[in-house]
Structures are given as structure tokens and as C-alpha cells.
Amino acid sequence: MKIKQDHLKHFSVCLAVAFSASSIEAGFGASYGQSFVAGIIAGGAIGVGKEYGDKCAPGNKWDWSDIAADIAGSIAGSAIGSLFSLINH
């Protein structure tokens, strides 16, 4: 099975956004769970927003496999970024 370049982009962008949000939250003293949720929300929002834009563009459509890549990237980024909360406590 070959991974599409578009899926790698979705994964990477959502990972970066989720990592940023969760590590910032952790830096401000949030718990692991709180910072993890913040990352998931931020990464997920970016991914859903991008797919909605794709859906509205002429000749394009909503792609659930892109959403799956967004979710995977958001989970990975949140898990890594939230580790900073363990360092701060």
C-alpha cells in the first residue's frame, strides 16, 4: 500500500499544529490530559477546515482518508507535545 503525498501533508501539518498547541498548554501548566485535548482540538480543527475548503472548491470533494491522516497526525503531535506537562510537574 502506497501512502499518498497528500496524506503525508495532512499528517505532518496536523502533527505540527497539535504539537504546538499541546506543548504551549503544557508550558502554561496544563496537565497531560488537558494539553493533549488542546492539541487534538487544534489539529482536528485545522484538518476539518482544510477538508471543508476542499469540499467547497470546484472539482474537489470531501475525503475521509485525509481526515484519517489529520486525526493520526493530531494524536501523534498531541501525545508528544503533552509530554512537556510531565516535565513541568
Side-chain angles (χ1 to χ4, degrees), residues 21-74:
S22 61
S23 60
I24 289 168
E25 285 294 310
F28 280 110
S31 69
Y32 183 90
Q34 291 167 330
S35 56
F36 185 84
V37 169
I40 292 289
I41 290 170
I46 291 294
V48 169
K50 168 70 169 85
E51 277 313 298
Y52 180 75
D54 285 351
K55 177 183 146 317
C56 294
N60 212 333
K61 63 179 178 46
W62 184 275
D63 186 347
W64 285 106
S65 63
D66 285 348
I67 291 292
D70 296 334
I71 291 168
S74 296

